[in-house]
Amino acid sequence: MEDDPFAFMRGEVVPENAARSEFGSASGIVITLETDEQGKPTKASEELIGKALELNGELGSRVSGCLTGAKALDYAKSFVHYGLDKILVVKDSDGSSITEQFAKWAEKNQPELWMFPESRLGRRTAARVAARLRTGFVNSVQAVNIDLGSRSMEMTHLELQGKLRRTIVVREARPQIMTLAAGAGSPVRLSETERSPIEVLEL
Amino acid sequence: MNVVALIKAVPDLTQSRYSRSEMKLQEKGPRLMPPVSENVLEAVRQIKESNQNVSTRALLLGNQAEEIVLRKALAFGLDQACLILGDVDIYDPYLKSRLIAKALEKLGVPDVLVVGGDSGSGSGGQVGIRVAELLSLEDDKFHLIEQGANQPRIPNIMAIMKAGSKELITLKAEELLTGEEFKSVQTISREEWLG
């Protein structure tokens, strides 16, 4: 199993006290971006970008934004000044679901963290991707701390009608998946001089 | 058409207390069916009323005491119920969804799966969505019902009495997933009761 870097994604490698070394080369943050009907970034997407860049300040990896849908390539241009390392556009190609396409991409690129906006679609897609990749997903995350030793996210959210604050760690699978609660993001700074490259994925 | 309603049981927070020393909710009283599960059952009832040859089943993962919640589901007019007996943390959507998917594979993958959205009690309604993905049920075969989506009709006394004699089968979690399969990928590192 050690020869197969993707085994952990199928749940085949679930060692005790799993740490980064068991997860092969899993690295990088992916954020799924959403726009309004005019192609303008939603507030949730901006918060997500801000939080991802903040976390990446500690992780020292890269942040990729991801867009899907018929107009994704046009809308991707709205995100080029947000300081992302790359913007990925998933083309509608073979009729497979977004979940399948995301999962294929994740198996190839092995991100360590995947963040979705806390929207109806974001939560639904996150749960489906988490099921397919056999990994953990924490919804409505309000705060994140990083254990740099294991590169695990300590993701805090509320349960039991807001009476219980719980912190959850995905220790034994990657990517770690979350939706970010509204208002939990970090301020984002636009740069007119820098432009993130756009890459169209043919999955 | 085989329709399955995935329902849940939640702690009664009016009776339960949080133990700070044990860092655990000390549950008191039987677990309750959350409003969103009543919305799920009403949705299934409406599917049955508007289609012919529909067989309906309610499914719940929990302990033996939660049979009462399934009986309530049967009083909503569903034909059968299935209790997956398992000591699984209320917050473990990864393991819960895999157990439920295995149970449904064993019972027969449904033509339509109806699940509830966020009940505010835990994982934000992700268990049902995960089950749909594990069973390859796309959106045309998968209904996610949010709380308040419909007006559940309260079962009458006849329906409640009839529910007592309907079929309720039990599956054991440890027989559905064994060994390494019966293991989660996530752990709780900290809890704080806000009350």
Side-chain angles (χ1 to χ4, degrees):
Chain A
M1 282 194 292
E2 285 175 6
D3 296 329
D4 181 355
F6 303 121
F8 74 93
M9 286 186 165
R10 296 191 295 273
E12 292 171 10
V13 178
V14 281
E16 296 290 346
N17 305 315
R20 180 174 164 72
S21 59
E22 277 82 12
F23 298 123
S25 57
S27 71
I29 302 173
V30 186
I31 48 178
T32 301
L33 301 169
E34 289 180 351
T35 67
D36 63 17
E37 287 176 2
Q38 282 74 45
K40 195 178 161 209
T42 59
K43 191 167 184 286
S45 288
E46 290 187 329
E47 288 200 8
L48 212 52
I49 293 169
K51 192 68 183 178
L53 293 173
E54 179 197 321
L55 294 172
N56 196 48
E58 288 187 67
L59 290 170
S61 186
R62 62 187 181 277
V63 181
S64 305
C66 184
L67 278 154
T68 61
K71 294 183 177 174
L73 189 53
D74 289 337
Y75 293 170
K77 292 165 191 157
S78 308
F79 290 96
V80 295
H81 296 299
Y82 281 88
L84 298 165
D85 292 294
K86 194 185 282 186
I87 300 168
L88 306 168
V89 172
V90 181
K91 274 183 80 177
D92 290 330
S93 53
D94 58 355
S96 59
S97 69
I98 291 295
T99 313
E100 277 179 87
Q101 294 183 50
F102 278 173
K104 271 188 212 168
W105 184 87
E107 284 175 8
K108 189 176 172 192
N109 293 277
Q110 300 189 72
E112 58 189 321
L113 174 63
W114 198 323
M115 302 168 76
F116 290 80
E118 180 60 37
S119 63
R120 189 182 161 93
L121 181 63
R123 187 181 285 198
R124 210 167 164 139
T125 310
R128 280 192 177 264
V129 171
R132 192 169 276 259
L133 294 176
R134 294 191 176 195
T135 189
F137 158 41
V138 183
N139 64 295
S140 309
V141 171
Q142 297 192 315
V144 187
N145 285 318
I146 304 173
D147 174 357
L148 282 173
S150 63
R151 294 177 79 86
S152 295
M153 306 296 134
E154 298 174 346
M155 297 174 273
T156 301
H157 76 167
L158 298 176
E159 294 178 23
L160 301 178
Q161 287 85 43
K163 292 176 188 291
L164 184 68
R165 183 185 290 145
R166 194 169 251 188
T167 301
I168 296 155
V169 179
V170 179
R171 293 196 192 281
E172 303 192 358
R174 291 292 182 270
Q176 305 158 92
I177 295 180
M178 72 165 84
T179 55
L180 190 70
S186 309
V188 62
R189 219 178 277 164
L190 290 172
S191 165
E192 289 301 323
T193 53
E194 290 177 32
R195 281 183 70 90
S196 307
I198 297 172
E199 183 181 326
V200 178
L201 299 177
E202 304 267 5
L203 296 171
Chain B
M1 182 165 64
N2 173 15
V3 181
V4 168
L6 196 55
I7 61 170
K8 64 196 288 188
V10 296
D12 182 352
L13 295 181
T14 62
Q15 294 194 54
S16 303
R17 293 287 175 269
Y18 189 79
S19 164
R20 290 180 193 278
S21 57
E22 292 179 42
M23 284 185 59
K24 196 178 174 188
L25 187 70
Q26 302 282 349
E27 290 189 34
K28 287 198 175 153
R31 282 192 172 179
L32 309 172
M33 182 187 289
V36 71
S37 288
E38 293 188 0
N39 293 124
V40 166
L41 295 170
E42 176 61 31
V44 170
R45 186 190 250 183
Q46 289 176 13
I47 292 171
K48 189 171 181 177
E49 287 169 350
S50 55
N51 293 278
Q52 290 184 329
N53 300 321
V54 174
S55 109
T56 55
R57 175 182 278 141
L59 191 141
L60 183 146
L61 168 61
N63 58 43
Q64 195 68 58
E66 288 161 28
E67 183 182 326
I68 193 167
V69 176
L70 275 173
R71 289 288 170 202
K72 184 176 174 183
L74 292 170
F76 270 78
L78 276 73
D79 303 316
Q80 296 173 309
C82 174
L83 175 63
I84 306 171
L85 272 176
D87 183 19
V88 179
D89 190 288
I90 190 166
Y91 189 93
D92 196 340
Y94 172 85
L95 193 51
K96 284 165 82 171
S97 57
R98 295 184 68 219
L99 283 165
I100 292 167
K102 274 279 180 192
L104 288 174
E105 281 172 0
K106 190 168 181 171
L107 296 167
V109 174
D111 298 306
V112 176
L113 177 67
V114 186
V115 308
D118 189 8
S119 68
S121 63
S123 58
Q126 66 171 285
V127 172
I129 304 170
R130 280 176 174 265
V131 171
E133 184 64 24
L134 291 170
L135 297 175
S136 302
L137 295 172
E138 291 300 331
D139 288 350
D140 57 330
K141 294 183 169 184
F142 170 62
H143 296 202
L144 181 66
I145 306 295
E146 298 292 347
Q147 189 168 320
N150 54 35
Q151 283 287 330
R153 285 163 281 177
I154 305 302
N156 59 32
I157 189 70
M158 285 301 289
I160 293 168
M161 289 175 69
K162 204 173 163 188
S165 60
K166 287 186 180 175
E167 185 185 9
L168 190 152
I169 61 167
T170 300
L171 299 174
K172 288 182 181 169
E174 62 270 22
E175 290 172 5
L176 294 168
L177 294 177
T178 55
E180 279 294 299
E181 287 183 321
F182 204 131
K183 191 173 176 182
S184 191
V185 295
Q186 58 191 54
T187 54
I188 295 156
S189 69
R190 207 163 45 246
E191 281 187 351
E192 186 184 355
W193 186 250
L194 305 173

